[in-house]
Amino acid sequence: MNSRQTLFLFALIAILCGGTSARAQAVQGFVDLHSHLTAEHSFGGSWFSGTVEGPMDVAVQRCDGNFPGGSHAATRIPIASELVSGHGLFGGDTGWHLGRRRGYDRRQCRYVFGIPVPGTCPRPHFEDWPMWDAIAHQQMWYGWLQQAYQGGMRVMVVSVAESNFLCNNTPIANRRYDCDEMNSVRRQVNAAQGFVSRHGSWVGIATTPAQARSLIQQGKLALVLAVEVTQLFPSGDFLAQLDELRAMGVRSVQVVHHSDNRFGGAAPIPKLMSGANKVEFIMGESTRINDIVCRDSWGTAGKCNGDNFLNERGLSAEGQTLVRAMMDRGMLVDVAHLSRKSFVNVYQIAQQRGSYPLLYSHAHMWNTISGSEDRHEKFIKQDEIQMITNTGGMVGLRTGPEDATQYGSVSNSCQGSTTAFAQSLMYAVDNGLKVGFGADLNGFTDQLRPRYNSKDCYADYVRINNAGGPTELQKKGLAHVGLLPQLMSELQTVGTPAAYVDHLNQSAENFLKLWERSVSLASSQSGTWTAWLNRDGSSGSGDWETLSEFVIAGQACSNPIGIECQTTSGVNWTQSGEVYTCDPAGGGICRVADQPDGVCYDYRVRFLCPSGPVNGTFSYSASNTNSAQQNTPTKNVLLSAGQTIQLGTCTVSGSSGSGDTYLRLYGPAGTQVASNDDSCGVLSYLSYTASQAGTYQIRAGCYSGNSCGGTVGYTIQ
């Protein structure tokens, strides 16, 4: 009996004995709940030096120091470029930074009469960047990301972030892209998907917790897409736009970012507000970032401090609807950057929804960060810790350089470094929080400082020398994503008790359980389970219980919101020991080629079908379509017999159009079943009830040979 058969037998015995066995193979490793893989495509595409992809000597090569022109890390305001780093006129890596430009040094010595020309010979690589305080140089090169994966990172939440404020203050001539935040979201999601398509042997994007587990079982890093922008869905039907993001693979959306928006109040960040004030004064422009009004409990306005003077705004009515919609869809509800009042409002909704778990993707602990630091509403207080634990939520601890107060058994001998992080880690775990990293790499923010520092951390400096010299983390601080595994080791080096390090090593599993519970609570709101379905045996290329087959057979709906997969003996797929995909969008699949022993068990599945309608949209631009009969953008949808689809460039929620649009619907046999030209003036709308189950195709075009475009909205019920 091989090891996989033994594992399967134990799982089967547990079920037959009535036990509630946990997953046989819980994920071991850590999660980073917030970092920015695609940041080179943000801020107009002109801020960062270096790229995620490419060979090391090209992707993270020595930069030009932004001299004499502004190739990167530059603003449109004189001198501001040098000051934006927060490390003095020439201390940071922004503006002119000739002393902070050495990545991979590709220079080759040039000689005159056998004497090397000064400034032409290479120096040691990576002397200047990446470093802990780099905010304008790449920290997510794919080789470093592989390092993190190989060192224990199993899940990373990829935050697709943008700031119209920061983008607008880069030189126009340098920008590759516009500063529209939602355009940037789409661009960066496409970039993340492209990255995965080129590196699929070791990394993948997960849209369900089951898919994440499957990727990890295959030995891959699971990426989860999230959105972090201020001008979220600035106008129009925000629910249709939420569904658009979800269709793109996004599974987490922050309600706010740097300032208040239509959905609610943001946590005011004093340094950012101060910068916005200066920009408004110098440029005569409105930024909205400093429009936040903070009041105390008596209603008196005052300087925002995160303690007694708080943002007066909570969630708006639209914000409450948006949060409920995310919960309806089983999305990860990230409360990062919310004002304290907005946070309470989200918690109240979560309590109404069966304690829906709240995720705080990147935050500090108020009680362990020194009062000398510029604390604000994004630093979690004790009552907010209780709210998160009440929902079974989770926090990503920021790996920032802030001074910390002494809390646990680890001597805080080097402020802002690993010893300071250890204080927050121990405090958070002791207060019942489940935590992972919330590194915020490439996030325009500083990281943990180096301990190998004779000036500020002399005792640590001596200890490190006596131990044989510094590691890269000890010398540079948390300079890039590849050093997260070293941070895990460094926590042990400074004396962090094993229980806390073990907690981080269980953080990937804790995150997946949180996500699974989110999906489960969403599914429990409304819906009906199908019977257990088993299309075929496990012979041939594998065992295939695909959704499309069951829809055509009339046994499942076309739009399930949940799925359960198990062997025909009743063993959950996660306990079978096989590489298996269990996804409501596709069904259950075991491929013989993926199994070490070349054999699949026989599985069965059941789908959770929603009781309400399913909505969707897709945008198009077309010309010369001969009334939607050629050159047409298309969209495939699954329909069950008896389901009705309504679609249009008018009438349907989220739809719009310009020009004379034309829509056609084709059935499973490839023949047209419905069409419309001018239901709403020159725009189109049609409704069709399916007579048979299968894949239907929407074809969007324009009348005759004209040009047109818009957004086709559709509802299936």
Side-chain angles (χ1 to χ4, degrees):
M1 181 180 292
N2 63 34
S3 60
R4 188 165 69 89
Q5 291 170 325
T6 303
L7 176 64
F8 178 81
L9 181 59
F10 279 135
L12 179 59
I13 291 171
I15 288 177
L16 293 176
C17 293
T20 55
S21 169
R23 288 181 179 84
Q25 293 182 334
V27 172
Q28 291 296 314
F30 62 86
V31 61
D32 180 7
L33 293 170
H34 190 85
S35 280
H36 304 278
L37 180 66
T38 57
E40 67 197 74
H41 301 288
S42 63
F43 312 143
S46 67
W47 181 257
F48 283 94
S49 175
T51 60
V52 167
E53 295 186 82
M56 175 184 278
D57 65 331
V58 176
V60 285
Q61 64 179 292
R62 176 182 183 268
C63 73
D64 61 7
N66 206 28
F67 181 86
S71 63
H72 64 284
T75 73
R76 58 186 177 136
I77 304 173
I79 303 301
S81 300
E82 282 68 31
L83 297 175
V84 72
S85 70
H87 296 288
L89 190 59
F90 299 111
D93 69 331
T94 61
W96 286 359
H97 51 277
L98 295 178
R100 290 291 305 277
R101 59 176 168 166
R102 196 171 308 115
Y104 189 102
D105 198 335
R106 301 183 69 195
R107 290 178 296 176
Q108 295 183 347
C109 290
R110 295 201 300 270
Y111 297 89
V112 175
F113 302 117
I115 301 172
V117 176
T120 65
C121 292
R123 299 277 297 278
H125 303 310
F126 304 118
E127 278 194 346
D128 303 324
W129 73 271
M131 293 286 281
W132 68 275
D133 59 347
I135 66 170
H137 291 76
Q138 185 63 246
Q139 297 175 307
M140 298 291 289
W141 176 59
Y142 87 98
W144 296 328
L145 185 61
Q146 281 184 311
Q147 258 181 256
Y149 156 68
Q150 292 162 357
M153 185 164 73
R154 294 293 168 257
V155 181
M156 184 174 74
V157 178
V158 175
S159 178
V160 172
E162 185 57 89
S163 168
N164 177 267
F165 168 65
L166 296 174
C167 179
N168 277 331
N169 280 288
T170 60
I172 295 175
N174 289 6
R175 295 179 205 157
R176 292 183 288 155
Y177 314 117
D178 64 40
C179 293
D180 182 279
E181 293 189 355
M182 296 308 298
N183 285 345
S184 181
V185 166
R186 297 179 184 94
R187 177 171 63 246
Q188 291 186 63
V189 168
N190 288 336
Q193 292 168 339
F195 173 82
V196 166
S197 71
R198 291 183 290 275
H199 300 272
S201 62
W202 63 274
V203 66
I205 293 174
T207 58
T208 66
Q211 196 173 21
R213 288 190 184 278
S214 179
L215 287 168
I216 295 166
Q217 283 183 351
Q218 296 171 53
K220 298 181 181 182
L221 172 65
L223 305 181
V224 182
L225 299 182
V227 168
E228 180 185 44
V229 296
T230 295
Q231 297 177 10
L232 178 69
F233 312 143
S235 61
D237 184 341
F238 59 87
L239 294 183
Q241 294 174 72
L242 177 66
D243 285 335
E244 178 194 357
L245 289 185
R246 193 168 184 279
M248 293 166 62
V250 171
R251 288 300 177 265
S252 178
V253 177
Q254 288 179 206
V255 176
V256 298
H257 191 203
H258 285 157
S259 68
D260 297 349
N261 62 19
R262 69 188 285 193
F263 302 111
I269 301 175
K271 287 182 180 178
L272 189 61
M273 294 177 70
S274 175
N277 282 331
K278 292 180 175 66
V279 169
E280 291 193 357
F281 176 77
I282 295 171
M283 306 302 293
E285 300 173 356
S286 175
T287 66
R288 295 177 53 198
I289 288 175
N290 59 352
D291 292 347
I292 295 174
V293 176
C294 290
R295 300 185 186 275
D296 63 13
S297 58
W298 300 95
T300 304
K303 182 180 178 181
C304 303
N305 61 13
D307 189 11
N308 57 324
F309 284 93
L310 306 175
N311 188 342
E312 64 179 350
R313 285 196 62 192
L315 285 186
S316 66
E318 288 187 319
Q320 294 180 41
T321 300
L322 178 61
V323 169
R324 289 191 177 95
M326 287 192 281
M327 293 179 180
D328 288 342
R329 290 155 176 78
M331 298 180 74
L332 296 160
V333 177
D334 188 352
V335 295
H337 285 281
L338 285 172
S339 69
R340 298 206 193 279
K341 288 188 177 181
S342 294
F343 184 107
V344 170
N345 294 153
V346 173
Y347 173 69
Q348 291 167 339
I349 296 172
Q351 288 295 89
Q352 297 164 7
R353 303 295 292 267
S355 293
Y356 196 98
L358 300 181
L359 177 70
Y360 210 127
S361 62
H362 54 304
H364 296 87
M365 299 290 104
W366 179 276
N367 284 346
T368 56
I369 299 301
S370 170
S372 63
E373 296 287 349
D374 199 6
R375 295 181 298 181
H376 47 75
E377 292 185 46
K378 202 168 157 285
F379 287 58
I380 303 176
K381 287 194 164 188
Q382 191 64 38
D383 59 333
E384 293 163 330
I385 289 176
Q386 191 62 54
M387 294 179 207
I388 294 169
T389 58
N390 285 349
T391 67
M394 191 171 183
V395 171
L397 281 180
R398 265 286 289 124
T399 50
E402 292 79 12
D403 289 357
T405 57
Q406 182 69 43
Y407 169 76
S409 58
V410 176
S411 172
N412 191 14
S413 56
C414 185
Q415 283 288 12
S417 75
T418 307
T419 63
F421 180 81
Q423 314 305 318
S424 291
L425 171 63
M426 292 184 289
Y427 173 83
V429 174
D430 286 351
N431 278 273
L433 280 173
K434 292 182 174 66
V435 300
F437 292 117
D440 210 0
L441 290 156
N442 271 6
F444 210 98
T445 189
D446 291 346
Q447 297 292 333
L448 289 171
R449 298 171 184 268
R451 287 176 58 228
Y452 192 67
N453 181 342
S454 60
K455 178 182 177 182
D456 299 319
C457 307
Y458 184 74
D460 289 68
Y461 176 80
V462 171
R463 280 193 291 270
I464 290 168
N465 273 331
N466 290 340
T471 64
E472 187 177 0
L473 176 75
Q474 291 169 340
K475 184 178 180 180
K476 294 185 172 185
L478 188 59
H480 58 75
V481 67
L483 297 182
L484 285 173
Q486 283 193 26
L487 176 55
M488 295 287 289
S489 299
E490 182 80 344
L491 284 166
Q492 299 176 69
T493 299
V494 300
T496 307
Y500 301 101
V501 180
D502 290 345
H503 182 97
L504 286 174
N505 264 322
Q506 297 163 11
S507 61
E509 175 67 19
N510 287 334
F511 169 75
L512 293 175
K513 286 180 177 177
L514 178 151
W515 193 3
E516 286 165 341
R517 186 160 166 265
S518 300
V519 173
S520 175
L521 285 171
S523 300
S524 68
Q525 296 304 309
S526 61
T528 303
W529 286 99
T530 67
W532 284 104
L533 306 171
N534 184 13
R535 188 184 67 85
D536 64 358
S538 56
S539 59
S541 62
D543 191 63
W544 305 77
E545 269 65 58
T546 55
L547 173 64
S548 58
E549 295 283 348
F550 296 123
V551 170
I552 292 171
Q555 296 173 293
C557 57
S558 62
N559 52 325
I561 55 177
I563 186 175
E564 291 184 356
C565 306
Q566 60 180 226
T567 70
T568 53
S569 300
V571 177
N572 187 279
W573 72 272
T574 61
Q575 297 174 310
S576 70
E578 293 189 325
V579 178
Y580 188 81
T581 299
C582 180
D583 184 1
I589 299 173
C590 178
R591 295 179 177 87
V592 165
D594 294 336
Q595 313 311 319
D597 60 0
V599 177
C600 282
Y601 293 120
D602 192 10
Y603 290 84
R604 62 186 183 183
V605 301
R606 65 174 185 164
F607 298 94
L608 182 64
C609 294
S611 56
V614 172
N615 303 309
T617 61
F618 69 95
S619 299
Y620 80 100
S621 177
S623 61
N624 191 30
T625 67
N626 188 22
S627 297
Q629 296 182 89
Q630 63 185 30
N631 306 324
T632 55
T634 61
K635 173 73 175 182
N636 290 341
V637 294
L638 274 173
L639 296 180
S640 302
Q643 278 191 311
T644 298
I645 181 171
Q646 300 176 64
L647 60 119
T649 51
C650 61
T651 305
V652 181
S653 176
S655 64
S656 64
S658 61
D660 193 345
T661 64
Y662 206 120
L663 297 177
R664 297 180 186 271
L665 183 67
Y666 285 73
T671 56
Q672 180 178 300
V673 295
S675 66
N676 182 261
D677 178 16
D678 295 332
S679 179
C680 317
V682 294
L683 301 182
S684 312
Y685 166 81
L686 64 87
S687 176
Y688 175 77
T689 300
S691 59
Q692 67 178 114
T695 300
Y696 288 72
Q697 186 175 82
I698 303 169
R699 300 184 185 180
C702 318
Y703 176 73
S704 187
N706 298 334
S707 298
C708 67
T711 299
V712 178
Y714 60 89
T715 297
I716 301 171
Q717 192 167 12

